[in-house]
Amino acid sequence: MNDELKHTPAPWRWWNGNTLMGDHGRRPIVLYARNMVTINADGFMEPNNSNSADCRLISVAPELLKALKRADTELRLRIGLCTNRTQDEKEMLREIFDVIQKAEGRE
C-alpha cells in the first residue's frame, strides 16, 4: 500500500462562504458551489477529475466523522479505565476531541 498522501493536505478553509480551498502546491484545489475545480496557471477555474483523491475524501467525510466519534467513545472508555494514562494517550484524546469539535463547527 502506498502511504503517500494523495489528497490535498489540511488545512482546508472556506473562503467567501461557498469556496473550500486547500493548498495543493502552487495551485489551490477548490470546491466551488459543490463542483470540484482546480485553478490553472492562468488563474482560471477548470473542472477537476471527479475521481480525484480530494473528491473521494470530501465524499466520505461524514463517514470518517462518524467512525472517529465511535472510536473516540471507545478509546475514552478503555483509556478511562486506566489509572495511569500516558502523555501520548492524553494528547491523542485531545487531538481527536479537537478534530471532532472542528468538524462540527464548535471549535
Side-chain angles (χ1 to χ4, degrees):
M1 180 176 175
N2 186 352
D3 289 336
E4 182 181 328
L5 195 62
K6 300 260 187 234
H7 64 82
T8 302
W12 294 2
R13 300 207 190 319
W14 283 103
W15 178 74
N16 217 17
N18 65 355
T19 305
L20 181 63
M21 297 186 72
D23 185 21
H24 187 69
R26 294 185 190 162
R27 294 175 29 185
I29 298 286
V30 245
L31 180 64
Y32 178 75
R34 298 187 181 176
N35 295 306
M36 186 64 83
V37 296
T38 57
I39 306 298
N40 67 20
D42 297 322
F44 295 103
M45 290 186 199
E46 298 177 339
N48 194 346
N49 180 352
S50 63
N51 292 323
S52 74
D54 290 324
C55 289
R56 288 191 307 274
L57 181 62
I58 291 167
S59 71
V60 299
E63 295 166 68
L64 289 169
L65 178 58
K66 182 179 177 181
L68 183 62
K69 289 170 82 173
R70 185 172 176 202
D72 180 51
T73 300
E74 188 65 27
L75 285 169
R76 287 185 185 282
L77 176 65
R78 290 175 188 232
I79 292 172
L81 296 175
C82 300
T83 55
N84 50 352
R85 282 174 251 153
T86 67
Q87 187 62 31
D88 283 345
E89 290 170 332
K90 291 176 187 176
E91 289 172 8
M92 176 186 59
L93 290 174
R94 171 46 76 186
E95 184 178 359
I96 290 171
F97 176 81
D98 290 347
V99 169
I100 292 171
Q101 294 295 300
K102 190 181 218 181
E104 294 181 338
R106 296 185 279 154
E107 57 179 324

